[in-house]
């Protein structure tokens, strides 16, 4: 084999090795988690109420965080503070805090301060079955998501 052919063969081998490394390591090193929020078709108000642990009508007084903020990983949350005008199910606090994912891709809900909503929420899960854990979970904000039915009231 002449020197030119040998060099060409080495270059091809290095290119194949480099390509294999890039393709093989991409899932390990460079892949970001993929998120998608998908809700099952329209659900009746009755079913939404049945699925929720807490249902109330209230006005958003303030919020901390931004849904779909730049650089969002989907793991952060946005918290809204509500003044509750009517409770339909469960117990609420004054003011009632409600949390959601900060990305619509992970089913985060974008609400507007000053607007009134019908809220369908769930309670935080206790860390265990102890009374202290249940009390601690009750102090956490209620949880809402894009598929839960929370909607603006005009």
């Amino acid at each position: 084999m002449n020197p030119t052919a040998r060099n060409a063969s080495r270059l091809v081998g290095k290119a194949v090795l480099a390509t294999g490394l890039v393709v093989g390591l991409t899932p390990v090193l460079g892949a970001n988690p993929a998120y998608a929020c998908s809700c099952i078709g329209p659900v009746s108000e009755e079913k939404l109420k049945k699925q929720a642990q807490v249902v109330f009508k209230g006005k958003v007084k303030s919020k901390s965080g931004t849904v779909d903020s730049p650089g969002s990983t989907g793991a952060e949350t946005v918290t809204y503070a509500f003044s509750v005008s009517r409770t339909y199910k469960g117990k609420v606090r004054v003011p009632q805090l409600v949390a959601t994912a900060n990305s619509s891709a992970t089913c985060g809900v974008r609400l507007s301060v000053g607007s009134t909503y019908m809220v369908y929420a769930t309670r935080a899960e206790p860390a265990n079955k102890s009374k202290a854990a249940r009390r601690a979970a009750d102090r956490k904000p209620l949880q809402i998501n894009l598929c839960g039915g929370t909607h603006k009231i005009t």
Side-chain angles (χ1 to χ4, degrees):
M1 193 178 231
N2 66 39
T4 306
R6 193 174 304 131
N7 285 342
S9 177
R10 283 187 187 150
L11 287 175
V12 169
K14 287 180 182 179
V16 168
L17 180 61
T19 302
L21 284 172
V22 168
V23 170
L25 291 176
T26 295
V28 176
L29 299 176
N32 289 324
Y35 298 107
C37 181
S38 179
C39 305
I40 297 173
V43 179
S44 70
E45 294 281 326
E46 183 179 300
K47 189 168 184 178
L48 290 170
K49 187 175 179 183
K50 186 176 181 181
Q51 291 172 344
Q53 293 172 317
V54 179
V55 181
F56 67 88
K57 178 175 144 182
K59 187 178 205 175
V60 178
K61 291 298 185 183
S62 65
K63 75 172 182 172
S64 64
T66 305
V67 175
D68 292 328
S69 60
S72 165
T73 66
E76 303 89 359
T77 60
V78 176
T79 303
Y80 298 96
F82 280 84
S83 65
V84 177
S85 57
R86 183 162 181 201
T87 304
Y88 298 92
K89 181 179 179 182
K91 293 181 182 178
V92 296
R93 298 184 174 276
V94 179
Q96 178 59 64
L97 298 180
V98 176
T100 188
N102 81 334
S103 170
S104 58
T106 53
C107 294
V109 181
R110 183 180 288 132
L111 305 178
S112 299
V113 174
S115 294
T116 301
Y117 292 86
M118 180 63 73
V119 178
Y120 297 88
T122 56
R123 297 194 174 284
E125 289 293 322
N128 56 49
K129 295 184 182 209
S130 72
K131 200 176 218 179
R134 286 194 309 269
R135 275 191 302 235
D138 283 344
R139 287 190 295 273
K140 291 183 179 179
L142 297 174
Q143 304 291 312
I144 61 171
N145 66 57
L146 207 54
C147 303
T150 296
H151 62 275
K152 190 174 187 175
I153 298 174
T154 53

